[in-house]
């Protein structure tokens, strides 16, 4: 188990955290934007402040620490999630899928939208988790890098497969075996987040874009290309273009990807590295093409006929938001029943129709088509088999790798 000790941060890691919170995935509302995915951010907001708060290191804490499960006697479950990451009715006062769950099971859901970014949320729960105390939450939703950290620290409970028949059967194959939780013993996916190439048809004016190489090398796009300020996204997509798997790459592979992008920077091919603010550059035509997050592209396409996307033959990067049960949660079985409920195709379809992210549930397309045929046929929401095969995940990084890689990426971007 990972020792929980304050890390000394490099200037590059500090810059990465600030960049993510300011204009990266963490910057705006959850409905249209995504969040920070840097381990450096966790260290700044979490590890770096733990000792200052007098919280003991958790090196001796045992994983999967449970409390008395009161699920049978107390028909309730406390669920913390991101803002605007759940279906709502027209009054914006009720969540139809949660209401249906309560009506069927009798379990009342205390639903709280108290996650604005991973760093801030970790700061809320770390004192209780480090001290072996109940956080007051039975179910949380965090991005894959933070889920990995919580599992390594032993701060979340192993799930009971007997309570998760639909989740076990219906989880899409592309999400079944992350390197940080093989077989999904501790977590299940809430939604997927994909990185693709987006473009403005009018700004391209006939120039063809099919690959990351086109972004980096085509002189007709000089000064009109955008890459992302999140290291994993830009490096991951470049690695794929180079024939390398982001899930197994070496330090030399990483250096080669940085060098590849550096050439594009030096010759003025890349206009700038951006957070979510690429959306305005893309719609205005300042970017003819750029790396983009699929959740944004769905929204941009709905607003502008000039915006579209492509999935390179080399593949694309997908990260995930994940459901976990913290240590000492008092209603673990109820939490597992709620996880399982969202792996039933009908409930999954109702959620997907509203939030428009990558649905992790197999067999949902038919149900989604009843609600929104366009969404059901949108590969950014329901990837077909060919697209799913192209999906890759960025591998877990050690603290040493995180520091070294962020420093090199910061030098590239000028952060």
């Amino acid at each position: 188990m990972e020792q929980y000790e304050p890390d000394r941060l490099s200037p590059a890691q500090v810059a990465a955290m600030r960049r993510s919170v300011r204009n990266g995935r963490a910057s705006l509302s959850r409905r249209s934007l995504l969040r920070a995915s840097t381990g450096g951010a966790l260290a700044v907001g979490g590890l770096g402040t733990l000792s200052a708060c007098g919280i003991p290191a958790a090196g001796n804490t045992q994983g999967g620490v449970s409390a008395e499960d009161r699920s049978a006697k107390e028909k309730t479950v406390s669920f913390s999630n991101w803002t605007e990451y759940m279906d709502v009715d027209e009054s914006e006062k009720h969540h139809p899928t949660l209401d249906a769950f309560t009506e069927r099971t009798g379990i009342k859901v205390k639903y709280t939208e108290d996650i604005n970014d991973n760093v801030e949320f970790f700061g809320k729960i770390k004192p209780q988790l480090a001290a072996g105390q109940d956080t007051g939450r039975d179910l949380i939703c965090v991005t894959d890098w933070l889920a990995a950290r919580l599992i390594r620290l032993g701060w979340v409970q192993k799930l009971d497969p007997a309570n998760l028949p639909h989740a076990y059967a219906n989880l899409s194959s592309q999400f079944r075996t992350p390197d940080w939780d093989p077989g999904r013993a501790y977590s299940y996916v809430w939604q997927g987040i994909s990185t693709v190439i987006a473009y403005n048809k009018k700004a391209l004016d006939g120039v063809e874009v099919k690959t990351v190489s086109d972004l980096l090398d085509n002189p007709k796009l000089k000064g009109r290309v955008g890459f992302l300020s999140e290291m994993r996204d830009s490096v991951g997509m470049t690695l794929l273009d180079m024939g390398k798997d982001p899930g197994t790459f070496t330090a030399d592979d990483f250096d080669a990807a940085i060098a590849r992008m550096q050439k594009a920077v030096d010759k003025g091919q890349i206009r700038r590295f951006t957070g979510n603010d690429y959306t305005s550059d893309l719609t205005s035509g300042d970017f003819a093409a750029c790396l983009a997050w699929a959740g944004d592209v769905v929204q941009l396409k709905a607003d502008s006929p000039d915006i579209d996307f492509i999935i390179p033959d080399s593949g694309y990067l997908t990260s995930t938001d994940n459901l976990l049960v913290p240590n000492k949660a008092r209603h673990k079985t109820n939490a597992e029943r709620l996880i399982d409920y969202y792996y039933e195709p009908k409930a999954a379809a109702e959620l997907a129709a509203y939030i428009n992210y990558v649905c992790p549930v197999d067999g949902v397309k038919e149900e989604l088509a009843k609600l929104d045929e366009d969404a059901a046929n949108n590969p950014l929401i329901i990837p077909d088999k060919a697209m799913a095969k192209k999906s890759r995940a960025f591998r877990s990084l050690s603290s040493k790798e995180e520091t070294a890689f962020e420093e090199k990426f910061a030098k590239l971007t000028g952060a």
Side-chain angles (χ1 to χ4, degrees):
M1 180 169 44
E2 176 178 307
Q3 295 289 314
Y4 190 62
E5 298 176 353
D7 292 334
R8 290 186 178 275
L9 299 178
S10 68
Q13 286 180 298
V14 174
M17 183 276 286
R18 290 174 177 166
R19 187 171 64 243
S20 294
V21 173
R22 182 174 64 249
N23 68 351
R25 293 182 182 180
S27 59
L28 299 174
S29 78
R30 189 61 190 78
R31 174 69 173 152
S32 62
L33 307 182
L34 305 174
R35 279 109 42 242
S37 61
T38 60
L42 175 61
V44 172
L47 297 183
T49 59
L50 182 63
S51 60
C53 296
I55 303 299
N60 296 321
T61 300
Q62 296 299 312
V65 180
S66 62
E68 177 189 357
D69 191 345
R70 304 180 183 180
S71 295
K73 296 179 180 179
E74 299 175 3
K75 295 294 185 180
T76 184
V77 60
S78 179
F79 180 13
S80 284
N81 202 354
W82 296 82
T83 57
E84 302 185 64
Y85 213 11
M86 180 67 73
D87 56 307
V88 297
D89 64 5
E90 292 183 0
S91 72
E92 297 189 358
K93 295 181 180 180
H94 299 282
H95 302 291
T97 55
L98 289 177
D99 291 345
F101 173 78
T102 298
E103 183 176 355
R104 180 202 296 182
T105 64
I107 300 170
K108 185 176 181 180
V109 182
K110 180 184 177 183
Y111 184 72
T112 309
E113 295 182 332
D114 60 346
I115 306 179
N116 294 305
D117 69 77
N118 289 291
V119 178
E120 179 186 40
F121 183 66
F122 187 74
K124 291 180 182 180
I125 63 176
K126 70 178 184 286
Q128 294 97 330
L129 290 173
Q133 299 171 352
D134 178 22
T135 65
R137 299 167 175 85
D138 301 303
L139 191 63
I140 60 174
C141 181
V142 297
T143 305
D144 43 21
W145 63 266
L146 179 52
R149 179 61 63 90
L150 291 172
I151 292 170
R152 289 197 302 267
L153 288 168
W155 285 0
V156 293
Q157 299 186 54
K158 193 170 185 178
L159 301 173
D160 184 351
N163 296 325
L164 297 159
H166 296 99
Y168 181 81
N170 295 336
L171 176 63
S172 174
S173 60
Q174 77 177 97
F175 298 120
R176 284 187 176 269
T177 56
D179 63 357
W180 47 270
D181 187 18
R184 293 287 177 182
Y186 293 88
S187 67
Y188 269 92
V189 179
W190 178 247
Q191 298 291 294
I193 305 164
S194 297
T195 305
V196 299
I197 295 175
Y199 59 88
N200 184 315
K201 299 174 187 176
K202 186 175 181 181
L204 280 179
D205 192 26
V207 177
E208 188 175 64
V209 172
K210 289 186 175 181
T211 67
V212 172
S213 286
D214 291 333
L215 299 182
L216 293 172
D217 299 329
N218 191 331
K220 294 181 180 180
L221 299 178
K222 182 177 179 179
R224 299 191 296 139
V225 169
F227 269 55
L228 292 166
S229 58
E230 296 292 345
M231 180 264 288
R232 286 167 174 79
D233 296 289
S234 287
V235 173
M237 290 294 283
T238 303
L239 284 168
L240 283 167
D241 188 72
M242 297 168 64
K244 303 295 183 178
D245 186 345
T248 59
F249 70 91
T250 66
D252 287 342
D253 295 333
F254 182 91
D255 289 345
I258 292 292
R260 179 104 167 81
M261 287 184 281
Q262 186 67 60
K263 290 181 181 179
V265 170
D266 292 344
K267 66 185 179 182
Q269 184 78 5
I270 297 176
R271 184 183 184 94
R272 65 190 184 104
F273 290 81
T274 74
N276 184 264
D277 47 328
Y278 70 80
T279 56
S280 58
D281 289 308
L282 187 62
T283 54
S284 70
D286 287 341
F287 283 168
C290 63
L291 297 184
W293 293 308
D296 290 337
V297 177
V298 172
Q299 309 258 338
L300 292 173
K301 279 175 57 67
D303 294 334
S304 172
D306 291 330
I307 305 302
D308 212 333
F309 74 97
I310 62 104
I311 301 295
D313 288 340
S314 59
Y316 65 103
L317 206 67
T318 301
S319 58
T320 54
D321 286 330
N322 308 273
L323 301 172
L324 303 98
V325 177
N327 281 355
K328 295 289 187 175
R330 299 184 180 188
H331 307 99
K332 179 174 181 284
T333 298
N334 290 345
E336 291 167 339
R337 292 184 67 182
L338 185 58
I339 294 172
D340 196 61
Y341 167 72
Y342 279 105
Y343 275 82
E344 296 180 22
K346 186 176 186 298
E350 291 179 20
L351 181 65
Y354 185 81
I355 63 177
N356 295 158
Y357 286 89
V358 180
C359 181
V361 181
D362 278 343
V364 76
K365 185 172 183 177
E366 183 177 344
E367 289 292 337
L368 184 55
K370 298 175 184 178
L371 304 172
D372 186 334
E373 190 169 349
D374 288 340
N377 292 318
N378 190 331
L380 297 181
I381 299 173
I382 308 294
D384 56 26
K385 290 183 179 180
M387 182 171 171
K389 283 185 178 180
K390 294 181 180 181
S391 174
R392 296 292 183 270
F394 201 93
R395 70 171 174 83
S396 299
L397 301 179
S398 67
S399 296
K400 184 177 180 180
E401 286 177 322
E402 186 75 51
T403 299
F405 291 172
E406 283 291 1
E407 286 178 348
K408 291 174 181 179
F409 188 69
K411 184 178 180 181
L412 168 73
T413 62

